[in-house]
Amino acid sequence: MKQSFLNNDRIYLRAVEPEDLDIMYEMENDPSMWDISNFTVPYSRYVLRQYIEGSQCDVFADKQLRLMIISRSDHRVLGTIDITDFVPLHARGEVGIAVSKADRQQGYASDALQLLCEYAFDFLSLTQLYAHVATDNEICMKLFTSCGFVQCGLLKNWLQVGGCYKDAAIFQYLNPKKH
């Protein structure tokens, strides 16, 4: 068994800390990210502070897990990666990832997604992870495919963005040790 999870030579993933409030506030309230989420209103600092304080950092207790993506070289926050909609009975959860604009296209999302999958499958013993990706987001579709996810479905007019509807692809990654 792997001795250490959630880190490689470039990044590490860690639990949310109180000092992450400002970066979370900035990322959660970026309208360009809303089309990939279910947000309908901005988050207040108060609500985010309550989330940080109330989280047990236990996917089984919280039914979700948010981790910060951190640069190993300078310990700077690069983004977040989540398991949401966690269903213990079926041992599955949805993956979400957000990398700051300045840090995109440098392989950090791929590193983070690979680390999360290893943790989810090898430590948490999840059966599967899945993601919904807008079909016009080619970079994100390539990211999930490159990390072992397989497109297994298409949801027509799933995401409403700026008054127009977009299709979303469903990507799924089955735990190779359980199938």
Side-chain angles (χ1 to χ4, degrees):
M1 178 187 269
K2 186 174 178 175
Q3 294 297 315
S4 178
F5 291 100
L6 303 176
N7 67 79
N8 66 18
D9 60 333
R10 292 180 359 115
I11 67 162
Y12 60 95
L13 307 179
R14 66 158 171 78
V16 177
E17 299 285 352
E19 58 267 19
D20 296 323
L21 178 63
D22 289 336
I23 189 86
M24 284 179 59
Y25 181 80
E26 181 181 316
M27 292 181 81
E28 297 287 357
N29 289 307
D30 179 354
S32 70
M33 305 284 270
W34 291 352
D35 67 330
I36 59 171
S37 68
N38 293 320
F39 297 152
T40 57
V41 296
Y43 280 102
S44 69
R45 289 181 190 280
Y46 175 76
V47 167
L48 290 171
R49 186 177 299 113
Q50 283 186 313
Y51 166 78
I52 292 170
E53 291 171 357
S55 174
Q56 296 179 44
C57 293
D58 177 354
V59 70
F60 293 94
D62 296 335
K63 305 297 186 265
Q64 65 179 9
L65 176 67
R66 168 160 289 182
L67 298 169
M68 305 305 287
I69 305 167
I70 310 296
S71 166
R72 186 168 290 292
S73 64
D74 60 7
H75 305 286
R76 185 171 45 88
V77 174
L78 304 169
T80 63
I81 190 163
D82 308 289
I83 297 175
T84 59
D85 294 327
F86 174 65
V87 181
L89 175 64
H90 303 298
R92 70 172 177 241
E94 183 172 7
V95 176
I97 187 166
V99 175
S100 68
K101 290 178 185 174
D103 297 306
R104 292 179 186 161
Q105 299 296 302
Q106 298 178 47
Y108 296 125
S110 179
D111 285 351
L113 186 53
Q114 288 172 0
L115 291 172
L116 183 74
C117 289
E118 288 174 7
Y119 178 72
F121 293 152
D122 296 342
F123 187 76
L124 298 176
S125 296
L126 297 189
T127 300
Q128 62 181 291
L129 295 170
Y130 66 94
H132 294 91
V133 180
T135 56
D136 64 350
N137 189 340
E138 293 175 19
I139 292 170
C140 194
M141 291 183 67
K142 183 178 176 184
L143 165 69
F144 281 95
T145 302
S146 73
C147 290
F149 286 74
V150 175
Q151 184 176 341
C152 61
L154 181 68
L155 299 165
K156 303 297 281 181
N157 298 327
W158 192 252
L159 303 169
Q160 193 261 92
V161 181
C164 299
Y165 286 87
K166 295 181 179 183
D167 296 345
I170 303 171
F171 283 85
Q172 185 179 38
Y173 188 6
L174 300 177
N175 184 336
K177 295 176 182 170
K178 294 193 176 215
H179 294 96

